[in-house]
Amino acid sequence: MSSWAARNPTRAIIRPRTPPPRLTDAQKASRKIKRDQRLERTKHLHDAVAEYLDAQKTKIEALSRAHHVTPKHINDIIGSQTHYRTSRKSQLINALVHAKAKEMNAGARYSLAELRQMVASDPETKALTREEKERYIAALEEHREKKVISVRANNLAAARDVVATTDRIVKELDDLRVRTGVYGTLFVVRGHINDSIQSAMHGTDNSEDFWEDVYEHPMADFLRQYEQWACTQNQSKSFVSSHSLCTYASSVAVTGKKDIVMNYHNYETSVIETYGVRLVGWPNGVKFTSPSNIGTVGDIRKLRDALKARTCYWTVLSPAELKAHASELDTRRSAGEVVRKPRKKRSDAGVPRKRKDGSSAGRVNKENIRPSKRAKKNSTQLQEGPKSAEFVESSDEEEEGHE
């Protein structure tokens, strides 16, 4: 259970890409020819674009002289565009390419250009009905959504995802700082002690000085404390465990109390007999124990599905049912059955344990009893005497008065 995917067995997993098969000599030669041809086409394109830009520059200079404006003003009009774009809807061509990739990439792997060519030359894609088009688009949207909310298969893939995403966020924060002048601070830490994610922090402009100026600690100290806190939260599983669901249902929805903890070992006495509630609909074949001790993903899923579907739920016992349950427990106790499991005893129970100061924990040693702070203070004052003589008469004056 050392990876994020292993700790989230109910979530879909983004499978890592399988490496393509090794190329033969003929394939390598063919790819080299294609690469050389592509480079040649790219060179011709760049030369054509450079020629066009030279002609455009000449035309812009002529327009600036004719209209009495600067060339920069004309370039701003030509190249005006916004940085804010809304997300586009899924296009049919992309949905068809996605479906073709799932169909063709089972054995060999094809490039995006080859898949697009297959879709364009496929006669079936030109005679699709409206329902079929919507079905292809829905499949693509579902695939994209799964890629966003699914978990990485191993720690290495998760760490790479964190690095790539953090770099994008840092660039967006820095660009936003330049565009708007805002300040921002980013902390990224791992959520489990076994994760191999490298913690990172970033502050726009001089944001790092804030932590030292206000809290008198460097920003790295807060990053380290944040990581320690995150690794001790026991929140590594994104799905709600059945243990927490059971506890929440019993403490809030049924009894109205928030301080109840589920007790699987002494369920009949600590839960049913004490609070008068019972858990109904526990899945068949699943051992009645803490979910952390179930051990198999299939059984955990059964329990989670039963709790979500409310086929497994808590119910309040009537006074008659509670009385019948108590009578049954008494009968079982009379028969010699151990109804409540006793707590385990310490291996050194009954044996006096030594403290660091050498005294025994089972006996009170008056010599080793430390005085309280007040007693220490009083004894010190008695030994030193009062610090002010304003209210204390000297012994010589007392003796003269007596005389």
Side-chain angles (χ1 to χ4, degrees):
M1 305 290 284
S2 61
S3 67
W4 176 248
R7 297 193 299 273
N8 293 272
T10 60
R11 300 287 297 275
I13 295 177
I14 303 174
R15 296 297 177 185
R17 293 182 177 180
T18 56
R22 291 183 177 274
L23 299 177
T24 61
D25 294 338
Q27 291 175 332
K28 291 180 181 179
S30 176
R31 290 199 174 192
K32 184 179 183 305
I33 294 173
K34 290 182 179 179
R35 183 168 60 252
D36 295 339
Q37 293 175 351
R38 186 169 60 253
L39 291 175
E40 187 68 21
R41 290 195 302 268
T42 303
K43 184 178 181 303
H44 289 320
L45 175 63
H46 288 178
D47 293 341
V49 170
E51 183 180 355
Y52 166 77
L53 291 177
D54 291 338
Q56 184 188 44
K57 182 179 179 181
T58 304
K59 183 65 175 177
I60 289 175
E61 290 175 352
L63 289 174
S64 67
R65 289 191 300 267
H67 296 275
H68 306 288
V69 294
T70 62
K72 181 179 181 302
H73 182 68
I74 299 177
N75 285 323
D76 291 341
I77 295 175
I78 296 175
S80 61
Q81 59 181 354
T82 178
H83 292 283
Y84 306 98
R85 299 183 178 89
T86 56
S87 59
R88 296 180 178 180
K89 294 182 179 180
S90 300
Q91 302 296 319
L92 177 61
I93 181 62
N94 295 331
L96 295 176
V97 170
H98 169 68
K100 183 64 70 174
K102 291 180 63 177
E103 177 185 352
M104 303 300 299
N105 283 346
R109 183 169 295 278
Y110 295 89
S111 64
L112 180 60
E114 293 173 339
L115 292 172
R116 286 183 176 274
Q117 183 64 31
M118 292 179 188
V119 171
S121 59
D122 190 354
E124 295 182 358
T125 59
K126 299 178 181 179
L128 295 175
T129 63
R130 182 178 179 181
E131 291 77 10
E132 291 174 339
K133 293 179 181 179
E134 292 178 351
R135 189 163 59 250
Y136 278 116
I137 293 176
L140 176 60
E141 292 178 347
E142 182 182 0
H143 171 72
R144 290 177 175 177
E145 185 178 357
K146 282 185 178 181
K147 288 189 66 176
V148 173
I149 63 175
S150 299
V151 299
R152 293 296 178 183
N154 50 60
N155 286 340
L156 180 60
R160 289 178 176 175
D161 192 353
V162 170
V163 171
T165 305
T166 303
D167 290 342
R168 290 200 302 269
I169 295 174
V170 167
K171 185 178 184 304
E172 290 291 338
L173 284 177
D174 290 338
D175 294 344
L176 186 64
R177 165 65 182 172
V178 174
R179 295 197 303 268
T180 63
V182 298
Y183 281 83
T185 301
L186 172 66
F187 288 103
V188 177
V189 297
R190 55 182 175 172
H192 194 274
I193 192 65
N194 291 329
D195 291 340
S196 57
I197 297 170
Q198 181 66 37
S199 300
M201 62 181 184
H202 178 73
T204 59
D205 201 22
N206 60 336
S207 296
E208 295 185 8
D209 297 339
F210 164 79
W211 305 94
E212 292 193 17
D213 295 344
V214 177
Y215 296 104
E216 299 181 353
H217 284 281
M219 190 175 173
D221 290 351
F222 292 94
L223 178 71
R224 183 172 60 256
Q225 294 175 6
Y226 187 25
E227 183 180 29
Q228 293 174 355
W229 175 85
C231 291
T232 57
Q233 289 305 296
N234 196 23
Q235 298 289 339
S236 300
K237 296 184 179 180
S238 60
F239 64 94
V240 180
S241 66
S242 53
H243 181 275
S244 61
L245 285 171
C246 293
T247 304
Y248 177 80
S250 62
S251 60
V252 179
V254 181
T255 63
K257 300 179 181 180
K258 297 182 179 181
D259 56 348
I260 299 176
V261 179
M262 182 62 178
N263 191 331
Y264 289 93
H265 294 289
N266 297 308
Y267 165 73
E268 294 183 339
T269 56
S270 299
V271 178
I272 299 179
E273 187 178 25
T274 304
Y275 301 106
V277 293
R278 185 192 300 274
L279 187 60
V280 180
W282 189 271
N284 294 328
V286 180
K287 183 180 178 181
F288 187 79
T289 182
S290 174
S292 59
N293 297 327
I294 289 179
T296 60
V297 176
D299 290 346
I300 293 179
R301 288 176 177 172
K302 287 181 182 178
L303 182 56
R304 181 206 58 179
D305 295 340
L307 290 168
K308 284 188 174 182
R310 298 189 181 277
T311 57
C312 180
Y313 59 92
W314 287 93
T315 182
V316 180
L317 299 181
S318 64
E321 292 174 337
L322 186 58
K323 185 176 180 180
H325 178 73
S327 301
E328 180 186 355
L329 293 180
D330 292 338
T331 303
R332 291 165 58 184
R333 290 190 186 99
S334 301
E337 182 180 349
V338 178
V339 177
R340 184 180 182 88
K341 297 181 179 179
R343 295 181 60 182
K344 291 184 178 180
K345 289 186 177 182
R346 296 175 59 103
S347 59
D348 56 351
V351 180
R353 295 180 292 277
K354 295 291 184 179
R355 292 197 180 101
K356 292 182 179 180
D357 56 2
S359 62
S360 175
R363 293 173 296 178
V364 179
N365 192 345
K366 294 183 179 180
E367 296 179 357
N368 293 326
I369 296 179
R370 297 181 178 179
S372 62
K373 292 183 178 180
R374 183 175 295 179
K376 285 184 177 181
K377 184 176 181 181
N378 293 338
S379 61
T380 305
Q381 289 180 351
L382 289 175
Q383 292 175 2
E384 295 179 353
K387 295 182 179 180
S388 177
E390 182 179 357
F391 305 102
V392 180
E393 298 179 353
S394 65
S395 58
D396 295 339
E397 293 177 354
E398 289 180 356
E399 292 175 359
E400 291 175 1
H402 286 298
E403 292 177 355

